[in-house]
Amino acid sequence: MFLLALAVVILYLVPLFAINVYVTVVEGDLPLILTCPHGGLLKPRSIPDRTPTPGTVLINDGYTIDTTFAIASALSTLHDGSRQPYLVVCNVARIKVDVNRRMDEGTDSKEGGIAWKAYHDSLQTLIKSALLRYGYVLLLDIHGHGADHGKVELGYLLRKDELASMRDPDKMNSAVLTRSSIRHLAHRTAIPAPHELLRGNGSMGQLMEKAHRQIRTMPSPSHLYPEEHERYFRGGYTTQVYAAVTGLDVIQIELPRHLRFTPQGRHNAATAIAEAATLLMDQHYCHPGLSRQQFPIQPKL
């Protein structure tokens, strides 16, 4: 399945490589970017293994590449096969390089740094292209988790204790407007309660649950915040860094094992994410075909 994914039509954008086996890059024509940093299986001998340290994860997020391509396929189907999202996938195993950390944390070698830079150079190229074309863009960073709660974790850069303590709508609105990874969206929408974008009706979590009744997400209307015993990822390096780019909104999506490890699970996850993302694009992002003259926002990277 991994090799099949690599057989998809690929556009290599990093000029350092004539053929860049480290990264798969697909040019899109929707205001949506999919990234997959931890699904790679390649273990080049030229890249030394990372040194295990406390807090360092060296195993990959199983089947996230397959899931990412399934999401892209589902999105294309929803658009009658005429459009697809932008896509960046790291093909290198996490034991060699972790592209969802700073380069000095994500690799121990010069060659690992080349792979790290290939990924982020490619991603930055796609971000600039998408922003110049559409003005506003959504980035979904696809991951996998092994927690027993079985829910999809949606990371918006707010900690679980913040989500739990911010039951006051005014405090939650302030957090979404100033510190969340969808703060650009929150500022440009006219809705009186920006926190609804994060865990209300019309949020990513609510739309995913609506698309598939067996999927549960947090935060969402059904699960406003993680319980004290529930592990929760708020968003890593990709979410933290690229959410600062003007016009770009980022959501880290952590999928449980049952939505990754079987074909039916991946289908369910891909369908729900694709339908939710399409509704978000229709509601909050410019429609395909609008020119950059209509949205004269310059990306700042």
Side-chain angles (χ1 to χ4, degrees):
M1 184 66 71
F2 175 69
L3 294 177
L4 178 62
L6 290 181
V8 174
V9 177
I10 296 170
L11 175 64
Y12 294 103
L13 299 178
V14 183
L16 184 61
F17 302 95
I19 298 178
N20 177 12
V21 297
Y22 294 155
V23 184
T24 298
V25 183
V26 176
E27 183 78 24
D29 40 27
L30 289 170
L32 177 67
I33 301 171
L34 301 178
T35 53
C36 182
H38 291 158
L41 298 175
L42 296 181
K43 297 181 179 179
R45 293 182 179 179
S46 58
I47 303 179
D49 289 354
R50 298 165 61 210
T51 303
T53 59
T56 299
V57 179
L58 301 179
I59 60 174
N60 72 324
D61 289 351
Y63 295 99
T64 49
I65 290 181
D66 302 79
T67 306
T68 300
F69 277 99
I71 296 167
S73 177
L75 281 158
S76 180
T77 298
L78 288 172
H79 292 83
D80 298 323
S82 63
R83 297 189 182 276
Q84 63 183 2
Y86 296 80
L87 188 147
V88 185
V89 171
C90 180
N91 299 320
V92 183
R94 200 174 184 180
I95 195 171
K96 300 290 185 178
V97 61
D98 187 340
V99 296
N100 200 38
R101 290 178 175 264
R102 296 197 320 259
M103 185 165 68
D104 62 329
E105 297 177 340
T107 182
D108 296 341
S109 64
K110 179 179 178 180
E111 186 66 21
I114 291 174
W116 187 98
K117 193 172 186 297
Y119 181 88
H120 286 283
D121 283 353
S122 299
L123 177 53
Q124 290 175 19
T125 297
L126 291 192
I127 289 172
K128 289 179 181 179
S129 174
L131 284 173
L132 287 172
R133 182 172 183 180
Y134 298 108
Y136 307 116
V137 176
L138 177 63
L139 188 157
L140 301 179
D141 194 33
I142 308 301
H143 294 259
H145 74 78
D148 292 334
H149 60 65
K151 300 180 184 69
V152 178
E153 301 175 13
L154 301 173
Y156 296 94
L157 295 184
L158 301 180
R159 301 187 310 271
K160 64 181 289 186
D161 61 303
E162 289 183 291
L163 293 171
S165 63
M166 290 177 185
R167 302 177 189 183
D168 182 333
D170 291 335
K171 290 183 178 180
M172 195 68 222
N173 287 336
S174 176
V176 172
L177 286 165
T178 60
R179 302 196 304 279
S180 79
S181 59
I182 56 169
R183 55 189 179 271
H184 304 300
L185 172 62
H187 276 286
R188 72 172 183 267
T189 56
I191 64 173
H195 72 272
E196 292 290 317
L197 296 168
L198 188 146
R199 57 188 187 186
N201 291 329
S203 65
M204 185 73 187
Q206 186 269 332
L207 292 173
M208 284 183 64
E209 292 187 0
K210 183 179 179 180
H212 198 286
R213 62 183 181 182
Q214 294 182 345
I215 289 179
R216 290 294 175 262
T217 66
M218 60 180 178
S220 67
S222 67
H223 208 84
L224 294 176
Y225 51 85
E227 300 293 339
E228 186 176 351
H229 66 278
E230 292 178 328
R231 192 183 66 181
Y232 172 73
F233 292 103
R234 70 187 184 99
Y237 179 85
T238 297
T239 308
Q240 295 164 18
V241 170
Y242 294 108
V245 177
T246 302
L248 184 67
D249 302 301
V250 186
I251 304 174
Q252 178 169 304
I253 300 181
E254 291 271 353
L255 296 168
R257 288 183 291 249
H258 74 272
L259 292 177
R260 293 181 287 124
F261 282 18
T262 67
Q264 186 61 53
R266 292 191 291 273
H267 171 78
N268 294 343
T271 300
I273 292 171
E275 291 185 11
T278 296
L279 289 171
L280 287 175
M281 284 188 287
D282 288 344
Q283 183 70 24
H284 300 296
Y285 299 86
C286 67
H287 293 280
L290 292 181
S291 69
R292 67 180 182 179
Q293 286 75 24
Q294 292 169 286
F295 289 88
I297 297 174
Q298 296 301 313
K300 296 178 181 179
L301 295 172

